Amino acid sequence: QVQLVESGGGSVQAGGSLRLSCAASGWTISSYSMAWFRQAPGKEREGVVVLTQYDNTAYKDSVKGRFTISKDNAKNTLYLQMNSLKPEDTAMYYCAAVPGNKLSFASDHYRYWGQGTQVTVSS
């Protein structure tokens, strides 16, 4: 059974940090391109960062220099280190996966999704 499970969300003050994790089971992330998306209340889901199968990355402009995506193939886990958090980063964060080497911020390009983890940043 293919599954993605996010964790690590929480509530922090502006300027703080969080590290999100996305554990995959039933398949190996090394064969997939992975991404983090987020959705704030009343807004559309948006791509935050992509990590392709061949380790190319792309970041949403507003998170460049603050967020870092990484993965541990041995643990079959994707991570998102978020530093210097701002209130506008408040959202439900989802990890997503698609087979192969694809660099896309389009949510409909991704086949597998986690259930999400809430990040709340207070000013």
Side-chain angles (χ1 to χ4, degrees):
Q1 180 181 0
V2 174
Q3 195 172 17
L4 288 169
V5 178
E6 300 98 333
S7 61
S11 297
V12 296
Q13 290 190 328
S17 298
L18 285 172
R19 187 194 195 203
L20 306 184
S21 299
C22 173
S25 60
W27 51 284
T28 55
I29 64 172
S30 60
S31 299
Y32 285 70
S33 294
M34 308 289 294
W36 287 96
F37 286 78
R38 66 187 182 188
Q39 187 167 21
K43 294 187 177 181
E44 293 187 355
R45 187 172 298 187
E46 63 178 5
V48 176
V49 57
V50 176
L51 175 62
T52 70
Q53 179 187 8
Y54 298 148
D55 294 335
N56 294 306
T57 59
Y59 291 84
K60 179 180 174 63
D61 284 347
S62 63
V63 306
K64 287 180 180 178
R66 301 188 298 121
F67 289 12
T68 303
I69 192 171
S70 63
K71 65 180 179 180
D72 185 330
N73 289 333
K75 294 183 177 179
N76 218 31
T77 300
L78 179 74
Y79 302 99
L80 181 64
Q81 178 66 44
M82 305 186 295
N83 298 327
S84 302
L85 282 161
K86 303 176 180 180
E88 51 264 42
D89 295 319
T90 295
M92 184 71 80
Y93 282 72
Y94 301 89
C95 65
V98 59
N101 190 56
K102 297 182 181 179
L103 198 156
S104 172
F105 282 110
S107 59
D108 58 0
H109 289 182
Y110 289 83
R111 181 179 300 180
Y112 302 115
W113 290 83
Q115 83 291 346
T117 186
Q118 178 67 39
V119 172
T120 303
V121 185
S122 58
S123 57

